[in-house]
Amino acid sequence: MKKVFFSLLALVATFSLSAQGKFFSKDANVAFDANSPLEKIEGKTNKGTLVIDAATGKVESAVLIKGFHFKSALMEEHFNENYMESGKFPKSTFAGDITNFSSVNLKKDGTYPIQIKGNLTMHGVTKPVEAKGSLVVKGGAITNGSAAFKVLMADYGIAIPAAVKDKIAKEAKIDISAALQKLVK
Amino acid sequence: MKNKLLLFVLPLSILATQSFAQGSLLDELGKDEETIEYAKYSFKTNRIINMHSLENTAEGVLDMKISHRFGTIDEGFYDLFGLDAATQRIGLDYGITDNLTVGVNRNSVRKAFDGFVKYRVLRQSTGKVNMPITLSVLSSMAIETQKWSDPTRENYFSSRLFYTHQLLIGRKFNDAFTLELAPTVVHRNLVATKAEKNTVLAMGIGGRVRLNRRTTFNAEYIYVLPNQLADNYKNSLSIGFDIETGGHVFQLHFTNSTSMSEYSYITQTDANWGKNAIRFGFNVSRVFTMYDAKKRKK
Protein backbone atom coordinates (compact mmCIF):
# COMPACT_ATOMS: atom_id res chain seq x y z
CA MET A 1 0.00 0.00 0.00
CA LYS A 2 2.79 2.31 0.96
CA LYS A 3 4.37 1.67 -2.38
CA VAL A 4 1.21 2.58 -4.22
CA PHE A 5 1.31 5.81 -2.33
CA PHE A 6 4.92 6.39 -3.36
CA SER A 7 4.22 5.55 -6.92
CA LEU A 8 1.38 8.04 -6.94
CA LEU A 9 3.70 10.55 -5.36
CA ALA A 10 6.20 9.87 -8.10
CA LEU A 11 3.47 10.43 -10.63
CA VAL A 12 2.55 13.75 -9.06
CA ALA A 13 6.21 14.70 -8.82
CA THR A 14 6.90 14.10 -12.48
CA PHE A 15 3.81 16.11 -13.39
CA SER A 16 4.74 18.93 -11.08
CA LEU A 17 8.16 19.00 -12.69
CA SER A 18 6.50 20.02 -15.90
CA ALA A 19 3.85 21.92 -14.00
CA GLN A 20 6.48 24.57 -13.68
CA GLY A 21 4.54 25.15 -16.80
CA LYS A 22 4.60 27.30 -19.82
CA PHE A 23 4.69 31.03 -19.88
CA PHE A 24 3.31 33.06 -22.73
CA SER A 25 2.44 36.46 -24.10
CA LYS A 26 0.14 37.45 -26.94
CA ASP A 27 1.14 41.08 -26.85
CA ALA A 28 4.90 40.86 -27.01
CA ASN A 29 6.71 43.95 -28.24
CA VAL A 30 8.71 43.27 -31.35
CA ALA A 31 10.92 45.93 -32.85
CA PHE A 32 12.52 45.71 -36.28
CA ASP A 33 15.41 48.07 -36.73
CA ALA A 34 17.32 48.61 -39.98
CA ASN A 35 18.61 52.05 -39.08
CA SER A 36 21.42 53.50 -41.11
CA PRO A 37 23.30 56.71 -40.49
CA LEU A 38 21.17 58.26 -43.25
CA GLU A 39 17.74 57.13 -42.27
CA LYS A 40 15.82 55.92 -39.27
CA ILE A 41 14.07 52.73 -40.25
CA GLU A 42 12.22 51.31 -37.32
CA GLY A 43 9.09 49.23 -37.18
CA LYS A 44 7.25 48.18 -34.09
CA THR A 45 4.37 45.95 -33.15
CA ASN A 46 2.92 44.87 -29.83
CA LYS A 47 1.12 41.88 -31.26
CA GLY A 48 3.87 39.29 -31.12
CA THR A 49 3.32 35.94 -29.48
CA LEU A 50 5.90 34.23 -27.31
CA VAL A 51 5.84 30.93 -25.40
CA ILE A 52 8.52 29.57 -23.09
CA ASP A 53 8.28 26.03 -21.82
CA ALA A 54 9.83 26.06 -18.36
CA ALA A 55 10.10 22.28 -18.34
CA THR A 56 12.29 22.02 -21.41
CA GLY A 57 13.66 25.49 -22.04
CA LYS A 58 12.05 25.54 -25.44
CA VAL A 59 10.92 28.86 -26.79
CA GLU A 60 8.69 29.81 -29.72
CA SER A 61 7.56 33.10 -31.11
CA ALA A 62 5.54 34.44 -34.03
CA VAL A 63 4.67 37.85 -35.41
CA LEU A 64 2.52 39.17 -38.25
CA ILE A 65 4.56 41.27 -40.65
CA LYS A 66 1.59 43.49 -41.50
CA GLY A 67 1.32 44.44 -37.84
CA PHE A 68 4.56 46.43 -37.89
CA HIS A 69 4.07 50.15 -37.74
CA PHE A 70 6.59 52.61 -39.10
CA LYS A 71 6.66 56.33 -38.57
CA SER A 72 6.01 56.96 -42.25
CA ALA A 73 3.19 55.30 -44.17
CA LEU A 74 5.44 55.04 -47.22
CA MET A 75 8.15 53.24 -45.27
CA GLU A 76 5.51 50.84 -43.98
CA GLU A 77 4.32 50.24 -47.55
CA HIS A 78 7.85 49.54 -48.74
CA PHE A 79 8.52 47.22 -45.79
CA ASN A 80 5.43 45.18 -46.68
CA GLU A 81 5.45 45.44 -50.46
CA ASN A 82 9.08 45.58 -51.50
CA TYR A 83 11.09 43.90 -48.79
CA MET A 84 9.12 41.47 -46.61
CA GLU A 85 6.43 40.78 -49.23
CA SER A 86 3.88 40.30 -46.49
CA GLY A 87 1.17 39.31 -48.96
CA LYS A 88 3.18 36.18 -49.73
CA PHE A 89 4.86 35.71 -46.36
CA PRO A 90 2.51 37.07 -43.72
CA LYS A 91 4.18 35.60 -40.66
CA SER A 92 7.64 35.42 -39.22
CA THR A 93 8.36 32.70 -36.65
CA PHE A 94 11.12 31.55 -34.36
CA ALA A 95 11.51 28.18 -32.64
CA GLY A 96 14.46 27.24 -30.52
CA ASP A 97 15.97 26.39 -27.17
CA ILE A 98 17.39 28.34 -24.31
CA THR A 99 20.77 26.64 -24.27
CA ASN A 100 21.71 27.64 -20.72
CA PHE A 101 18.25 27.10 -19.27
CA SER A 102 19.71 24.92 -16.49
CA SER A 103 21.24 28.07 -15.00
CA VAL A 104 17.81 29.63 -14.57
CA ASN A 105 16.59 28.87 -11.08
CA LEU A 106 12.84 29.23 -10.93
CA LYS A 107 12.90 29.06 -7.18
CA LYS A 108 15.03 32.13 -6.86
CA ASP A 109 13.84 35.58 -7.94
CA GLY A 110 16.14 37.46 -10.22
CA THR A 111 17.12 38.35 -13.76
CA TYR A 112 18.93 35.62 -15.64
CA PRO A 113 20.92 36.16 -18.82
CA ILE A 114 20.05 33.54 -21.42
CA GLN A 115 21.39 32.27 -24.70
CA ILE A 116 19.01 31.13 -27.38
CA LYS A 117 19.63 28.97 -30.39
CA GLY A 118 17.05 28.10 -32.98
CA ASN A 119 15.54 28.71 -36.38
CA LEU A 120 14.13 32.00 -37.58
CA THR A 121 11.72 32.02 -40.50
CA MET A 122 11.33 35.32 -42.29
CA HIS A 123 10.40 36.17 -45.87
CA GLY A 124 9.82 32.45 -46.43
CA VAL A 125 13.41 31.53 -45.56
CA THR A 126 14.41 29.54 -42.46
CA LYS A 127 17.89 30.01 -41.04
CA PRO A 128 19.58 29.04 -37.77
CA VAL A 129 20.17 32.01 -35.50
CA GLU A 130 21.54 32.70 -32.06
CA ALA A 131 20.45 35.40 -29.69
CA LYS A 132 21.09 36.77 -26.27
CA GLY A 133 18.38 37.73 -23.87
CA SER A 134 17.17 37.63 -20.35
CA LEU A 135 14.46 36.11 -18.20
CA VAL A 136 12.98 37.62 -15.07
CA VAL A 137 11.90 35.14 -12.42
CA LYS A 138 9.58 36.18 -9.66
CA GLY A 139 7.67 34.01 -7.23
CA GLY A 140 8.43 30.78 -9.05
CA ALA A 141 7.23 32.14 -12.39
CA ILE A 142 8.91 33.61 -15.43
CA THR A 143 7.41 37.09 -15.54
CA ASN A 144 9.41 38.69 -18.34
CA GLY A 145 11.42 37.55 -21.28
CA SER A 146 13.44 39.38 -23.88
CA ALA A 147 15.86 38.61 -26.68
CA ALA A 148 17.78 40.46 -29.36
CA PHE A 149 18.50 38.96 -32.77
CA LYS A 150 20.75 40.18 -35.51
CA VAL A 151 19.91 39.04 -39.00
CA LEU A 152 21.51 39.68 -42.36
CA MET A 153 18.82 40.69 -44.82
CA ALA A 154 20.62 38.93 -47.64
CA ASP A 155 20.37 35.61 -45.75
CA TYR A 156 16.62 35.82 -46.01
CA GLY A 157 16.48 36.73 -49.68
CA ILE A 158 15.57 40.33 -48.94
CA ALA A 159 17.21 42.33 -51.67
CA ILE A 160 18.17 45.94 -51.08
CA PRO A 161 18.45 47.83 -54.37
CA ALA A 162 21.69 49.67 -55.07
CA ALA A 163 19.93 53.05 -55.09
CA VAL A 164 19.02 52.81 -51.40
CA LYS A 165 21.80 50.56 -50.14
CA ASP A 166 23.28 53.32 -47.97
CA LYS A 167 19.94 54.08 -46.40
CA ILE A 168 19.11 50.64 -45.12
CA ALA A 169 21.25 48.62 -42.75
CA LYS A 170 22.34 45.27 -44.21
CA GLU A 171 21.99 43.73 -40.80
CA ALA A 172 18.68 44.24 -39.04
CA LYS A 173 18.16 44.07 -35.32
CA ILE A 174 15.05 42.34 -34.06
CA ASP A 175 14.21 42.86 -30.41
CA ILE A 176 11.45 41.03 -28.64
CA SER A 177 10.31 41.61 -25.11
CA ALA A 178 7.22 40.56 -23.23
CA ALA A 179 5.56 40.35 -19.88
CA LEU A 180 4.65 36.69 -19.51
CA GLN A 181 1.70 34.93 -18.02
CA LYS A 182 1.38 31.35 -16.97
CA LEU A 183 -0.42 29.25 -19.51
CA VAL A 184 -3.48 27.74 -17.89
CA LYS A 185 -5.09 24.88 -19.73
CA MET B 1 4.14 -6.65 -7.53
CA LYS B 2 3.89 -3.17 -6.19
CA ASN B 3 7.36 -2.39 -7.40
CA LYS B 4 6.17 -3.39 -10.79
CA LEU B 5 3.32 -0.97 -10.46
CA LEU B 6 5.80 1.79 -9.76
CA LEU B 7 7.82 0.78 -12.74
CA PHE B 8 4.70 0.88 -14.82
CA VAL B 9 3.33 4.16 -13.53
CA LEU B 10 6.55 6.14 -13.66
CA PRO B 11 7.26 5.83 -17.37
CA LEU B 12 3.59 6.39 -18.05
CA SER B 13 3.63 9.63 -16.15
CA ILE B 14 6.76 10.74 -17.97
CA LEU B 15 5.12 9.82 -21.22
CA ALA B 16 2.06 11.80 -20.22
CA THR B 17 4.04 14.93 -19.44
CA GLN B 18 6.06 14.56 -22.59
CA SER B 19 3.02 14.32 -24.72
CA PHE B 20 2.42 17.94 -23.78
CA ALA B 21 5.76 18.87 -25.19
CA GLN B 22 4.91 17.42 -28.57
CA GLY B 23 3.92 19.73 -31.37
CA SER B 24 4.25 23.49 -31.46
CA LEU B 25 4.18 25.50 -28.28
CA LEU B 26 2.41 28.26 -30.20
CA ASP B 27 -0.44 25.90 -31.05
CA GLU B 28 -1.19 25.60 -27.37
CA LEU B 29 -2.09 29.28 -27.24
CA GLY B 30 -5.08 28.49 -29.36
CA LYS B 31 -6.09 30.30 -32.50
CA ASP B 32 -5.13 33.89 -33.10
CA GLU B 33 -7.88 36.36 -32.53
CA GLU B 34 -9.46 37.21 -35.86
CA THR B 35 -8.72 40.73 -36.99
CA ILE B 36 -9.82 42.85 -39.91
CA GLU B 37 -7.29 42.61 -42.66
CA TYR B 38 -7.58 45.47 -45.13
CA ALA B 39 -6.53 45.06 -48.73
CA LYS B 40 -3.76 47.63 -48.83
CA TYR B 41 -1.67 49.03 -51.65
CA SER B 42 -4.16 48.42 -54.46
CA PHE B 43 -2.37 51.15 -56.42
CA LYS B 44 1.01 52.79 -55.85
CA THR B 45 -0.49 56.27 -55.53
CA ASN B 46 -3.93 57.81 -55.21
CA ARG B 47 -4.12 58.31 -59.00
CA ILE B 48 -4.19 55.67 -61.71
CA ILE B 49 -3.02 58.15 -64.34
CA ASN B 50 -5.50 61.02 -64.48
CA MET B 51 -8.24 59.23 -62.61
CA HIS B 52 -8.33 58.89 -58.86
CA SER B 53 -7.43 55.39 -57.71
CA LEU B 54 -8.85 53.38 -54.82
CA GLU B 55 -6.06 54.58 -52.57
CA ASN B 56 -6.25 57.51 -50.22
CA THR B 57 -3.39 59.55 -48.86
CA ALA B 58 -2.58 58.22 -45.39
CA GLU B 59 -3.42 60.32 -42.38
CA GLY B 60 -0.90 63.04 -41.73
CA VAL B 61 0.76 62.65 -45.12
CA LEU B 62 1.16 65.46 -47.64
CA ASP B 63 1.54 64.29 -51.23
CA MET B 64 3.00 66.80 -53.64
CA LYS B 65 2.42 66.02 -57.27
CA ILE B 66 3.97 67.66 -60.26
CA SER B 67 2.61 66.57 -63.59
CA HIS B 68 3.30 67.41 -67.21
CA ARG B 69 1.57 66.52 -70.44
CA PHE B 70 3.54 67.27 -73.56
CA GLY B 71 2.44 68.03 -77.11
CA THR B 72 1.20 65.30 -79.41
CA ILE B 73 3.85 63.00 -80.83
CA ASP B 74 2.52 63.22 -84.41
CA GLU B 75 4.63 66.31 -85.22
CA GLY B 76 7.62 64.03 -85.00
CA PHE B 77 11.15 65.28 -84.61
CA TYR B 78 10.23 68.86 -85.51
CA ASP B 79 9.01 69.55 -81.98
CA LEU B 80 10.83 66.57 -80.47
CA PHE B 81 7.75 64.38 -80.33
CA GLY B 82 5.79 66.96 -78.42
CA LEU B 83 8.38 67.83 -75.80
CA ASP B 84 8.45 71.46 -77.00
CA ALA B 85 4.97 72.03 -75.66
CA ALA B 86 3.90 71.20 -72.15
CA THR B 87 0.98 71.69 -69.87
CA GLN B 88 1.61 71.53 -66.17
CA ARG B 89 -0.21 70.76 -63.04
CA ILE B 90 0.97 71.18 -59.50
CA GLY B 91 -1.04 69.78 -56.67
CA LEU B 92 -1.08 69.03 -53.01
CA ASP B 93 -3.09 66.18 -51.51
CA TYR B 94 -3.42 65.76 -47.79
CA GLY B 95 -4.75 62.89 -45.69
CA ILE B 96 -6.95 64.25 -42.90
CA THR B 97 -7.75 60.69 -41.87
CA ASP B 98 -6.88 57.42 -43.58
CA ASN B 99 -10.30 57.60 -45.26
CA LEU B 100 -10.56 61.32 -46.00
CA THR B 101 -8.28 63.07 -48.46
CA VAL B 102 -8.49 66.66 -49.65
CA GLY B 103 -6.47 68.30 -52.38
CA VAL B 104 -5.89 71.48 -54.34
CA ASN B 105 -4.39 71.77 -57.79
CA ARG B 106 -3.48 74.31 -60.39
CA ASN B 107 -3.60 73.22 -63.96
CA SER B 108 -2.16 75.34 -66.80
CA VAL B 109 -4.88 74.25 -69.22
CA ARG B 110 -7.41 77.12 -69.15
CA LYS B 111 -5.66 78.27 -65.99
CA ALA B 112 -7.87 76.09 -63.87
CA PHE B 113 -7.75 75.69 -60.11
CA ASP B 114 -9.49 72.73 -58.63
CA GLY B 115 -10.09 71.23 -55.25
CA PHE B 116 -11.40 67.84 -54.25
CA VAL B 117 -12.68 65.87 -51.31
CA LYS B 118 -12.37 62.10 -51.44
CA TYR B 119 -13.94 59.90 -48.83
CA ARG B 120 -13.60 56.14 -48.57
CA VAL B 121 -16.95 54.70 -47.53
CA LEU B 122 -16.17 50.99 -47.78
CA ARG B 123 -12.76 49.38 -47.55
CA GLN B 124 -11.98 45.98 -48.98
CA SER B 125 -11.08 43.56 -46.22
CA THR B 126 -11.01 39.95 -45.11
CA GLY B 127 -10.97 38.32 -41.70
CA LYS B 128 -13.37 39.62 -39.10
CA VAL B 129 -15.08 41.84 -41.67
CA ASN B 130 -15.38 40.46 -45.16
CA MET B 131 -15.80 43.29 -47.65
CA PRO B 132 -15.24 42.41 -51.30
CA ILE B 133 -14.82 45.95 -52.62
CA THR B 134 -13.56 49.40 -51.84
CA LEU B 135 -15.97 52.29 -52.47
CA SER B 136 -14.96 55.93 -52.39
CA VAL B 137 -16.82 59.11 -53.22
CA LEU B 138 -14.99 61.89 -54.99
CA SER B 139 -16.28 65.44 -55.39
CA SER B 140 -14.24 68.02 -57.15
CA MET B 141 -14.86 71.58 -58.17
CA ALA B 142 -12.84 73.57 -60.67
CA ILE B 143 -12.58 77.25 -61.57
CA GLU B 144 -11.23 78.30 -64.95
CA THR B 145 -9.50 81.62 -64.46
CA GLN B 146 -8.34 82.46 -67.95
CA LYS B 147 -9.62 85.70 -69.49
CA TRP B 148 -13.04 85.60 -71.08
CA SER B 149 -12.91 84.74 -74.73
CA ASP B 150 -15.44 87.49 -75.40
CA PRO B 151 -15.11 90.24 -72.74
CA THR B 152 -17.83 92.37 -74.40
CA ARG B 153 -20.44 89.78 -73.61
CA GLU B 154 -22.05 89.69 -70.18
CA ASN B 155 -19.96 87.11 -68.32
CA TYR B 156 -20.91 85.50 -65.03
CA PHE B 157 -18.51 84.16 -62.47
CA SER B 158 -20.61 81.00 -62.24
CA SER B 159 -19.74 80.27 -65.85
CA ARG B 160 -16.21 79.51 -64.71
CA LEU B 161 -17.28 76.69 -62.45
CA PHE B 162 -17.21 72.95 -63.14
CA TYR B 163 -18.22 70.12 -60.87
CA THR B 164 -17.31 66.43 -60.99
CA HIS B 165 -18.76 63.72 -58.82
CA GLN B 166 -17.49 60.19 -59.00
CA LEU B 167 -17.96 56.88 -57.29
CA LEU B 168 -14.79 54.85 -57.25
CA ILE B 169 -15.65 51.18 -56.95
CA GLY B 170 -12.96 48.58 -57.18
CA ARG B 171 -11.24 45.51 -55.94
CA LYS B 172 -7.69 44.38 -55.50
CA PHE B 173 -8.14 40.86 -56.83
CA ASN B 174 -4.64 39.80 -55.84
CA ASP B 175 -1.21 41.29 -55.38
CA ALA B 176 -0.86 41.65 -59.11
CA PHE B 177 -4.22 42.91 -60.32
CA THR B 178 -6.59 45.69 -59.32
CA LEU B 179 -9.66 46.86 -61.25
CA GLU B 180 -11.74 49.96 -60.72
CA LEU B 181 -14.97 51.39 -62.14
CA ALA B 182 -15.96 55.02 -61.80
CA PRO B 183 -19.51 56.14 -62.64
CA THR B 184 -19.13 59.86 -63.18
CA VAL B 185 -21.24 63.02 -63.45
CA VAL B 186 -19.68 66.25 -64.69
CA HIS B 187 -21.63 69.46 -64.51
CA ARG B 188 -20.63 72.49 -66.52
CA ASN B 189 -22.44 75.76 -65.90
CA LEU B 190 -21.58 77.07 -69.34
CA VAL B 191 -21.19 75.08 -72.55
CA ALA B 192 -20.23 76.34 -76.00
CA THR B 193 -23.26 75.25 -77.97
CA LYS B 194 -26.85 74.26 -77.30
CA ALA B 195 -26.16 70.78 -78.56
CA GLU B 196 -23.77 70.11 -75.68
CA LYS B 197 -25.15 68.96 -72.40
CA ASN B 198 -24.42 70.83 -69.18
CA THR B 199 -24.54 67.64 -67.22
CA VAL B 200 -22.47 64.85 -68.70
CA LEU B 201 -22.59 61.21 -67.68
CA ALA B 202 -19.54 59.01 -68.07
CA MET B 203 -18.09 55.73 -66.90
CA GLY B 204 -14.43 55.41 -66.11
CA ILE B 205 -12.60 52.12 -65.97
CA GLY B 206 -9.04 51.67 -64.80
CA GLY B 207 -6.69 49.11 -63.45
CA ARG B 208 -3.19 48.06 -62.80
CA VAL B 209 -1.02 45.02 -63.21
CA ARG B 210 1.98 44.74 -60.93
CA LEU B 211 4.98 43.78 -63.01
CA ASN B 212 7.51 43.53 -60.20
CA ARG B 213 8.00 44.87 -56.72
CA ARG B 214 8.54 48.42 -57.89
CA THR B 215 6.79 48.70 -61.24
CA THR B 216 3.16 48.51 -62.30
CA PHE B 217 1.41 48.83 -65.63
CA ASN B 218 -1.63 51.09 -65.45
CA ALA B 219 -4.44 51.87 -67.88
CA GLU B 220 -7.62 53.91 -67.75
CA TYR B 221 -10.42 54.79 -70.13
CA ILE B 222 -13.32 57.15 -69.64
CA TYR B 223 -16.35 56.39 -71.72
CA VAL B 224 -18.59 59.43 -72.12
CA LEU B 225 -22.13 58.40 -72.97
CA PRO B 226 -23.00 59.45 -76.57
CA ASN B 227 -24.65 62.72 -77.67
CA GLN B 228 -23.48 64.83 -74.78
CA LEU B 229 -20.34 66.51 -76.10
CA ALA B 230 -19.45 68.26 -79.35
CA ASP B 231 -18.15 65.90 -82.04
CA ASN B 232 -14.52 66.94 -81.74
CA TYR B 233 -14.25 65.64 -78.19
CA LYS B 234 -12.91 62.15 -77.64
CA ASN B 235 -12.89 59.71 -74.78
CA SER B 236 -9.80 59.90 -72.63
CA LEU B 237 -7.50 56.88 -72.84
CA SER B 238 -4.21 56.60 -70.99
CA ILE B 239 -1.69 53.84 -70.47
CA GLY B 240 1.53 53.95 -68.54
CA PHE B 241 3.81 52.71 -65.82
CA ASP B 242 4.27 53.52 -62.16
CA ILE B 243 7.90 53.31 -61.15
CA GLU B 244 8.70 53.68 -57.51
CA THR B 245 12.10 54.73 -56.27
CA GLY B 246 12.32 55.15 -52.51
CA GLY B 247 10.49 58.39 -51.72
CA HIS B 248 9.11 59.10 -55.20
CA VAL B 249 6.61 57.49 -57.49
CA PHE B 250 7.10 58.30 -61.15
CA GLN B 251 4.10 57.75 -63.37
CA LEU B 252 5.10 57.76 -67.02
CA HIS B 253 2.38 57.45 -69.61
CA PHE B 254 0.83 58.09 -72.96
CA THR B 255 -2.53 59.80 -73.09
CA ASN B 256 -4.71 61.78 -75.45
CA SER B 257 -5.78 64.22 -72.72
CA THR B 258 -4.09 67.55 -72.14
CA SER B 259 -5.61 68.49 -68.84
CA MET B 260 -5.31 66.65 -65.57
CA SER B 261 -8.41 68.13 -63.94
CA GLU B 262 -11.34 65.75 -63.69
CA TYR B 263 -13.91 67.87 -65.53
CA SER B 264 -11.44 68.68 -68.26
CA TYR B 265 -9.93 65.34 -69.22
CA ILE B 266 -13.41 63.85 -69.17
CA THR B 267 -15.18 66.50 -71.29
CA GLN B 268 -12.41 68.42 -73.08
CA THR B 269 -10.12 65.75 -74.52
CA ASP B 270 -9.81 66.52 -78.21
CA ALA B 271 -6.87 64.43 -79.43
CA ASN B 272 -7.38 61.16 -81.19
CA TRP B 273 -5.36 58.04 -80.41
CA GLY B 274 -6.20 56.69 -83.85
CA LYS B 275 -4.36 59.57 -85.51
CA ASN B 276 -1.27 59.29 -83.32
CA ALA B 277 -2.38 62.43 -81.52
CA ILE B 278 -1.12 61.05 -78.26
CA ARG B 279 1.12 62.75 -75.77
CA PHE B 280 3.78 61.67 -73.42
CA GLY B 281 3.26 62.72 -69.83
CA PHE B 282 4.35 62.10 -66.30
CA ASN B 283 3.25 62.60 -62.73
CA VAL B 284 5.81 62.72 -59.97
CA SER B 285 4.56 62.13 -56.48
CA ARG B 286 6.59 62.90 -53.40
CA VAL B 287 5.14 62.31 -49.97
CA PHE B 288 5.98 64.12 -46.76
CA THR B 289 4.96 62.70 -43.41
CA MET B 290 3.65 65.62 -41.39
CA TYR B 291 2.98 63.62 -38.28
CA ASP B 292 2.89 60.02 -37.14
CA ALA B 293 -0.84 59.33 -37.11
CA LYS B 294 -0.73 56.08 -35.17
CA LYS B 295 1.47 57.51 -32.47
CA ARG B 296 -0.88 60.44 -31.91
CA LYS B 297 -3.85 58.16 -31.40
CA LYS B 298 -2.19 56.45 -28.46
Side-chain angles (χ1 to χ4, degrees):
Chain A
M1 198 59 216
K2 226 181 203 172
K3 277 185 182 155
V4 175
F5 173 75
F6 277 120
S7 65
L8 278 174
L9 196 72
L11 181 78
V12 170
T14 46
F15 263 121
S16 69
L17 213 101
S18 70
Q20 288 172 330
K22 286 161 191 149
F23 297 90
F24 80 103
S25 168
K26 279 188 170 184
D27 48 12
N29 292 308
V30 185
F32 175 91
D33 170 342
N35 284 328
S36 69
L38 287 176
E39 194 151 35
K40 195 180 167 200
I41 300 169
E42 226 170 33
K44 282 181 182 150
T45 173
N46 58 1
K47 290 273 175 280
T49 50
L50 175 68
V51 190
I52 298 171
D53 187 342
T56 58
K58 280 194 187 306
V59 52
E60 278 183 33
S61 180
V63 65
L64 279 173
I65 300 302
K66 278 183 187 152
F68 280 93
H69 167 59
F70 288 76
K71 70 179 190 331
S72 125
L74 189 70
M75 209 179 268
E76 197 168 306
E77 177 173 342
H78 292 167
F79 177 74
N80 280 290
E81 292 276 283
N82 299 348
Y83 297 101
M84 301 301 270
E85 298 180 88
S86 60
K88 253 188 268 175
F89 312 111
K91 222 173 202 178
S92 188
T93 56
F94 173 80
D97 294 285
I98 301 170
T99 51
N100 61 339
F101 194 63
S102 53
S103 69
V104 178
N105 184 356
L106 290 183
K107 290 186 181 77
K108 196 173 160 225
D109 290 3
T111 303
Y112 296 88
I114 51 167
Q115 259 126 40
I116 303 168
K117 222 174 188 178
N119 288 308
L120 177 69
T121 305
M122 191 167 84
H123 193 239
V125 179
T126 303
K127 289 262 168 184
V129 285
E130 284 179 42
K132 281 185 175 156
S134 67
L135 291 180
V136 178
V137 172
K138 209 176 171 186
I142 302 172
T143 57
N144 286 81
S146 67
F149 296 87
K150 280 187 179 171
V151 294
L152 270 177
M153 308 276 224
D155 284 353
Y156 292 87
I158 299 167
I160 300 170
V164 293
K165 73 171 176 7
D166 295 333
K167 288 192 172 177
I168 304 171
K170 285 175 188 66
E171 191 180 60
K173 277 186 278 183
I174 300 167
D175 287 323
I176 177 162
S177 69
L180 299 167
Q181 283 174 271
K182 192 159 184 181
L183 183 66
V184 184
K185 285 268 167 183
Chain B
M1 173 68 199
K2 278 166 189 164
N3 274 331
K4 274 183 190 161
L5 185 70
L6 184 71
L7 281 175
F8 175 72
V9 167
L10 200 63
L12 192 75
S13 67
I14 289 166
L15 204 73
T17 54
Q18 275 198 337
S19 70
F20 280 103
Q22 294 295 313
S24 165
L25 287 172
L26 289 168
D27 291 345
E28 293 180 38
L29 294 182
K31 278 198 176 148
D32 291 341
E33 227 175 281
E34 214 178 13
T35 51
I36 302 174
E37 190 153 326
Y38 291 113
K40 286 180 170 174
Y41 319 126
S42 59
F43 289 93
K44 281 214 183 285
T45 83
N46 62 359
R47 309 298 163 97
I48 303 177
I49 290 168
N50 288 316
M51 254 168 76
H52 272 270
S53 80
L54 299 173
E55 289 298 314
N56 283 46
T57 307
E59 179 176 346
V61 172
L62 183 71
D63 182 354
M64 187 174 78
K65 288 180 197 292
I66 294 169
S67 310
H68 280 57
R69 302 291 181 269
F70 296 98
T72 54
I73 60 169
D74 54 359
E75 295 292 322
F77 190 72
Y78 175 66
D79 66 353
L80 204 62
F81 304 95
L83 293 189
D84 286 356
T87 58
Q88 294 111 42
R89 173 183 170 99
I90 180 158
L92 292 173
D93 295 351
Y94 183 72
I96 294 176
T97 71
D98 279 349
N99 292 325
L100 180 64
T101 305
V102 293
V104 286
N105 300 276
R106 166 62 159 67
N107 208 126
S108 67
V109 178
R110 302 192 187 200
K111 305 197 184 303
F113 287 87
D114 70 77
F116 74 85
V117 177
K118 179 178 181 181
Y119 184 69
R120 182 163 52 201
V121 184
L122 302 174
R123 191 171 186 189
Q124 186 186 336
S125 65
T126 54
K128 208 164 158 192
V129 175
N130 205 340
M131 174 57 62
I133 57 157
T134 292
L135 170 73
S136 294
V137 183
L138 176 82
S139 276
S140 99
M141 190 180 121
I143 305 170
E144 288 187 352
T145 65
Q146 72 179 6
K147 288 175 184 151
W148 296 110
S149 53
D150 180 1
T152 58
R153 181 178 66 181
E154 196 178 352
N155 288 303
Y156 302 99
F157 174 74
S158 61
S159 306
R160 295 185 177 281
L161 300 180
F162 297 81
Y163 304 90
T164 308
H165 304 288
Q166 249 177 347
L167 289 178
L168 310 168
I169 308 161
R171 177 174 166 82
K172 181 180 180 181
F173 286 90
N174 51 47
D175 271 352
F177 180 59
T178 305
L179 186 68
E180 173 183 324
L181 289 173
T184 305
V185 180
V186 180
H187 182 79
R188 308 172 294 167
N189 281 340
L190 180 69
V191 290
T193 64
K194 272 191 176 166
E196 291 187 66
K197 298 277 195 295
N198 288 90
T199 302
V200 175
L201 299 176
M203 174 63 93
I205 180 167
R208 73 120 193 225
V209 175
R210 199 169 176 218
L211 301 175
N212 62 39
R213 279 183 271 185
R214 291 179 178 79
T215 315
T216 66
F217 172 75
N218 297 6
E220 65 178 45
Y221 178 67
I222 293 118
Y223 175 71
V224 179
L225 273 67
N227 305 322
Q228 302 186 93
L229 302 177
D231 287 344
N232 57 319
Y233 291 120
K234 304 284 180 261
N235 291 332
S236 172
L237 171 65
S238 316
I239 58 168
F241 297 92
D242 282 7
I243 300 162
E244 176 229 295
T245 63
H248 295 84
V249 177
F250 292 93
Q251 298 186 292
L252 310 177
H253 36 254
F254 288 99
T255 175
N256 58 342
S257 295
T258 325
S259 173
M260 295 146 259
S261 276
E262 273 68 39
Y263 82 94
S264 182
Y265 67 78
I266 295 169
T267 66
Q268 297 171 349
T269 293
D270 57 4
N272 193 340
W273 268 81
K275 296 190 172 122
N276 280 337
I278 50 177
R279 348 171 154 266
F280 174 66
F282 68 80
N283 307 339
V284 180
S285 155
R286 166 87 212 189
V287 296
F288 301 92
T289 305
M290 308 309 280
Y291 66 88
D292 185 340
K294 280 168 201 164
K295 208 175 220 170
R296 213 175 69 152
K297 274 172 202 155
K298 272 179 193 165

